[in-house]
Amino acid sequence: MKKLLAVACAAVMSHWAVAQEKGILGQEDSPNVALKSINIGDCKWTEGFWADKFDVAEHSMVPYMGEVLTGDVGHALNNFKIAAGMKEGEHKGMRWHDGDFYKWMEAAMYVYAQNGDEKIKEEIDGYIDIISKAQEEDGYLQTFIQLTDNVDRYENRKYHEMYNSGHLLTSACIHYRITGERKFLDIAIKHADLLYTIFSPSTKQYGRFGFNQTQIMGLVELYRTTKDKRYLDLAEIFINNRGKYKVEDHPTTVGYPIGDMVQERTPLRESSEAVGHAVLALYYYAGAADVAAETGEQALVDALDRLWENVTEQKMYVTGAVGQAHYGASSHRDKIEEGFIGEYMMPNMTAYNETCANVCNSMFSYRMLGLHGESKYADVMELVLYNSALSGISIEGKNYFYSNPLRMVNGSRDYKLHNTETPHRLPYLECFCCPPNLVRTIAKSSAWAYSLSKNGIAVNLYGGNRLDTKLEDGSTLILNQVTNYPWEGSVNITVEKCKKDAFDMMLRIPEWAVGTTVKVNGEAVKTKVENGKFTTINRKWRKGDIICIDMPMETKLVEGHPRIEEARNQVAVKRGPVVYCMETPDLPEDAQILDVYIQGNAPLVASYNKDLLGGITTVETTLLIRTNQSESKMYNTVDKPEFKQYKTKLVPYYSWSNRGDAEMTVFMPVVWSDL
């Protein structure tokens, strides 16, 4: 009898393991995670906003990006071919261009997981063969170093070898989880073994080397995939090395800013302020959250809590964007680029807000959602996805922004002096890190929509979808979600299949959704429904049960903290999770964006237009356009401003710059009194 029970238990555990080993984050055995990833492909967008975006990703974003990166413009595949001896030529693209290609491969695999198109897999498998030939015998794989004379391996951290390594490991793990095939994974293992040999001794020579820390996330995912603890140990070594060594120029640091720029002045466990390059910082924090999910170290979690609060409460824009400045200084007076500056220092027109940083903000929050199981983290994920992430790509999916300002004024900047800021989206960016990062996020967004709790499911993101997954006990759960979110606040979730025993249904009520109601089969739930929290309903669910969530979609004016000087006496317009902007195509021809004032007492009327900008809800209102504003001098005397009223519409921030070159602003000065 005992033997039979053991066999039965083993079968159940085996069934559970198979059911949960294909998450974006391989958390099936992670002991310190409250909400775990569902399997890739278990949730599919079916209709509405995200179904439309995934369709563009499937048929435009991923194919077009593949053409660019495998052709002579992007040259990424050429670099691998040259390193493999299959082609003559020299390395082109940034030093971290390998990582861009790995991110695109990851995006393609997410699409394959949804549509099962074998042509995608065959294409990616062909590229894996080329990468395998480019890899050196001992596992080294960095095409810039391999193809550049007089540059040695791990000579200088400015070559971003760790960044490329991290994306290689992550992409290979995702490929393995989706296909079950090892060829790409074996390349990653061979490379990670070399990293362990070189960096695990923690010598002073390499102690400051591990910046641009995607390798931490990649190593943790490789540990989760192979169960080889060396990779987790190495990930922790890279964390422990930050802030351990004296910040001074060193042969491995020549040519790149030091100190806070690369988060090496303060040990992570002592940190309370997000500093330096925003992408480097947020990759670092996300990797540390992955390590904490495995080790449970409280000091690490406490530091991440402080840093998340600092980012979201003192350094994040209303759009979820982060990384306020292209150039600046930290509180320790270290030079920083593309990153965080002081708290509440939030310029609008010169806001940097790199697309990668915004995406990384959502990645960090997704991991914090897993650690703590609190809805506020999904609120930030959602804010980023609908606003500062999507603004990085055009409606048709083929043109990109690197930076995402909150105001654009013609003639205000000489873009020839900037290497990443542009007045409109471009079909190719020389620094191509952001486009594949964003596209892989859109392609995997359905896997963020739900998480597994200890006894149930959490609904993180709303959108028309079908979920066919297994709970942690191995039981099948099928849900069908119908909604026109984010344009409408009504969501219906139908249970199509579930276990007989009671389990939890956790419904995220966004912070903005004051007055939300939740009903099951037409009756109001007894559980407290509170905005900014998960509403957890525990019951014996049955096939045909319908959950109705009704979130009031009020259009609201939003003001910044009083210490945000560039937003003083200004407001932004927000409806649900979507932030709006004023764009000059919706103004008179002679009006400039700086002439626009918003009437605080004017009605704000939402109206859906299926034929505008891919289908959007606009906000119609009557604005004030100032007619006597002088630009003749830096300072001018003024008696009384003169205004004329103008009825127009605001469009979602993410959709701007899709109707030709235009001026735009999110924040507008407000006039509250009647005129």
Side-chain angles (χ1 to χ4, degrees):
M1 184 66 181
K2 289 182 179 179
K3 185 175 181 179
L4 287 173
L5 285 173
V7 170
C9 289
V12 171
M13 291 302 292
S14 173
H15 176 69
W16 176 85
V18 170
Q20 303 304 332
E21 64 184 5
K22 297 181 180 180
I24 288 176
L25 303 182
Q27 301 165 323
E28 67 271 14
D29 295 324
S30 301
N32 305 290
V33 178
L35 295 178
K36 297 184 177 183
S37 296
I38 60 171
N39 281 343
I40 301 166
D42 279 5
C43 176
K44 293 180 172 63
W45 301 119
T46 53
E47 61 181 0
F49 187 93
W50 285 113
D52 293 343
K53 296 303 177 188
F54 182 84
D55 183 70
V56 175
E58 179 183 10
H59 296 105
S60 180
M61 294 179 190
V62 171
Y64 172 75
M65 190 173 293
E67 292 174 9
V68 169
L69 290 174
T70 61
D72 291 335
V73 174
H75 202 75
L77 183 62
N78 286 345
N79 291 333
F80 287 106
K81 287 182 176 179
I82 297 167
M86 302 169 63
K87 184 181 179 72
E88 295 292 326
E90 60 184 20
H91 185 279
K92 293 183 181 179
M94 296 295 184
R95 297 158 179 167
W96 49 87
H97 207 34
D98 292 1
D100 302 337
F101 193 69
Y102 297 139
K103 282 184 282 185
W104 171 77
M105 292 174 69
E106 185 183 341
M109 291 311 300
Y110 291 135
V111 173
Y112 170 71
Q114 295 277 325
N115 67 14
D117 184 352
E118 288 298 323
K119 291 181 181 179
I120 296 175
K121 181 180 177 298
E122 290 171 7
E123 180 183 1
I124 297 300
D125 286 348
Y127 301 147
I128 293 171
D129 289 338
I130 295 170
I131 292 169
S132 177
K133 293 175 183 176
Q135 186 174 34
E136 297 189 10
E137 188 61 33
D138 64 354
Y140 188 78
L141 183 58
Q142 310 282 348
T143 64
F144 173 79
I145 304 297
Q146 291 170 272
L147 302 178
T148 304
D149 294 334
N150 303 316
V151 177
D152 293 330
R153 299 177 178 187
Y154 308 115
E155 171 187 300
N156 191 306
R157 62 189 189 182
K158 71 182 178 183
Y159 298 133
H160 295 263
E161 288 159 283
M162 293 298 102
Y163 173 86
N164 288 334
S165 295
H167 288 303
L168 165 63
L169 305 186
T170 298
S171 187
C173 288
I174 294 300
H175 181 272
Y176 173 73
R177 289 173 193 166
I178 292 172
T179 68
E181 298 175 4
R182 291 190 58 94
K183 189 163 188 178
F184 201 13
L185 182 66
D186 288 339
I187 294 171
I189 290 171
K190 193 174 181 181
H191 185 71
D193 288 347
L194 177 65
L195 293 180
Y196 186 83
T197 300
I198 294 172
F199 291 97
S200 64
S202 262
T203 62
K204 189 174 182 181
Q205 171 69 15
Y206 295 121
R208 296 168 64 195
F209 208 88
F211 93 111
N212 208 342
Q213 300 93 325
T214 62
Q215 82 279 7
I216 298 175
M217 286 183 288
L219 285 164
V220 174
E221 288 310 316
L222 196 60
Y223 159 71
R224 288 167 168 168
T225 303
T226 66
K227 310 306 179 188
D228 188 333
K229 193 171 180 295
R230 292 180 305 152
Y231 305 139
L232 178 61
D233 292 341
L234 184 56
E236 195 162 12
I237 286 170
F238 281 120
I239 292 173
N240 296 342
N241 279 345
R242 312 310 290 167
K244 180 178 178 180
Y245 298 93
K246 185 176 181 180
V247 178
E248 59 185 359
D249 286 325
H250 182 273
T252 65
T253 72
V254 173
Y256 205 86
I258 60 177
D260 279 339
M261 169 65 174
V262 293
Q263 300 82 38
E264 65 174 345
R265 191 170 287 283
T266 307
L268 180 60
R269 294 167 181 83
E270 299 173 17
S271 298
S272 58
E273 180 188 12
V275 296
H277 194 288
V279 177
L280 273 58
L282 290 161
Y283 274 145
Y284 181 26
Y285 305 155
D290 282 336
V291 170
E294 304 305 321
T295 66
E297 184 191 342
Q298 193 60 48
L300 208 53
V301 175
D302 291 344
L304 293 171
D305 288 343
R306 294 192 300 269
L307 290 164
W308 189 88
E309 291 291 337
N310 179 251
V311 170
T312 60
E313 295 297 329
Q314 298 179 322
K315 297 187 178 185
M316 185 177 75
Y317 282 87
V318 68
T319 59
V322 290
Q324 306 108 296
H326 195 157
Y327 299 106
S330 72
S331 55
H332 292 112
R333 297 187 227 177
D334 289 329
K335 175 185 176 181
I336 66 101
E337 298 175 3
E338 303 182 324
F340 294 111
I341 51 178
E343 59 190 34
Y344 304 116
M345 296 176 66
M346 314 291 287
N348 289 314
M349 192 168 64
T350 61
Y352 197 68
N353 296 344
E354 180 183 344
T355 300
C356 266
N358 306 336
V359 168
C360 290
N361 192 22
S362 63
M363 291 171 61
F364 178 34
S365 287
Y366 179 60
R367 285 157 171 81
M368 296 301 286
L369 172 70
L371 286 178
H372 292 302
E374 296 178 25
S375 67
K376 64 181 181 180
Y377 303 108
D379 281 356
V380 172
M381 291 161 52
E382 178 179 74
L383 182 67
V384 170
L385 287 174
Y386 281 113
N387 300 288
S388 57
L390 280 183
S391 61
I393 195 165
S394 58
I395 296 296
E396 87 286 354
K398 296 182 179 181
N399 294 282
Y400 316 104
F401 271 143
Y402 190 99
S403 59
N404 297 271
L406 272 72
R407 182 172 294 146
M408 177 68 72
V409 179
N410 290 340
S412 61
R413 310 183 76 183
D414 184 354
Y415 289 98
K416 295 178 182 177
L417 301 177
H418 300 280
N419 63 338
T420 50
E421 291 101 320
T422 56
H424 50 263
R425 296 181 186 86
L426 298 175
Y428 182 71
L429 306 173
E430 184 180 5
C431 180
F432 203 67
C433 57
C434 295
N437 210 5
L438 173 55
V439 170
R440 69 170 177 164
T441 301
I442 295 170
K444 71 182 177 185
S445 59
S446 63
W448 280 4
Y450 297 89
S451 293
L452 300 174
S453 66
K454 284 184 172 54
N455 184 36
I457 197 80
V459 185
N460 304 322
L461 302 174
Y462 295 108
N465 66 64
R466 179 177 172 83
L467 175 71
D468 186 345
T469 194
K470 288 185 172 21
L471 300 180
E472 285 208 11
D473 61 6
S475 62
T476 297
L477 176 65
I478 300 177
L479 302 177
N480 188 55
Q481 186 175 152
V482 177
T483 179
N484 198 26
Y485 193 89
W487 311 130
E488 297 174 9
S490 176
V491 178
N492 288 344
I493 301 174
T494 301
V495 178
E496 295 190 358
K497 186 175 182 179
C498 66
K499 64 180 180 179
K500 294 181 179 179
D501 297 334
F503 64 94
D504 294 337
M505 200 84 77
M506 299 172 60
L507 311 172
R508 181 179 64 91
I509 311 301
E511 178 65 33
W512 53 263
V514 179
T516 294
T517 60
V518 178
K519 296 179 180 179
V520 175
N521 299 331
E523 294 186 8
V525 297
K526 296 180 181 179
T527 309
K528 184 177 181 181
V529 179
E530 185 177 355
N531 61 302
K533 305 280 187 181
F534 276 111
T535 292
T536 301
I537 306 170
N538 180 274
R539 59 177 278 164
K540 290 184 178 181
W541 299 91
R542 295 291 180 263
K543 179 180 179 180
D545 284 347
I546 300 176
I547 304 168
C548 297
I549 309 164
D550 190 6
M551 294 170 272
M553 277 283 182
E554 298 178 23
T555 306
K556 298 179 180 179
L557 300 181
V558 179
E559 65 174 346
H561 188 283
R563 287 178 57 188
I564 304 176
E565 293 186 39
E566 290 213 28
R568 289 277 287 167
N569 301 317
Q570 299 177 65
V571 294
V573 176
K574 189 167 182 279
R575 182 175 183 269
V578 179
V579 176
Y580 283 76
C581 70
M582 187 68 243
E583 195 179 13
T584 46
D586 300 311
L587 292 175
E589 288 187 7
D590 60 342
Q592 298 178 325
I593 208 71
L594 296 180
D595 297 331
V596 173
Y597 289 65
I598 197 163
Q599 291 191 87
N601 61 338
L604 299 167
V605 181
S607 177
Y608 183 73
N609 187 334
K610 67 181 179 64
D611 298 319
L612 180 64
L613 296 169
I616 59 171
T617 290
T618 62
V619 172
E620 298 176 357
T621 191
T622 300
L623 298 173
L624 298 173
I625 299 177
R626 186 171 173 184
T627 59
N628 68 335
Q629 187 158 245
S630 175
E631 296 182 8
S632 61
K633 298 179 181 179
M634 187 167 179
Y635 299 101
N636 298 279
T637 59
V638 60
D639 294 322
K640 182 180 179 181
E642 296 177 3
F643 297 98
K644 66 177 181 180
Q645 292 187 328
Y646 186 76
K647 188 173 182 178
T648 187
K649 61 182 178 292
L650 287 80
V651 298
Y653 169 72
Y654 78 81
S655 69
W656 87 277
S657 191
N658 279 279
R659 294 178 287 174
D661 287 350
E663 294 187 334
M664 174 276 300
T665 189
V666 171
F667 278 99
M668 292 165 279
V670 59
V671 175
W672 292 103
S673 59
D674 294 331
L675 293 174

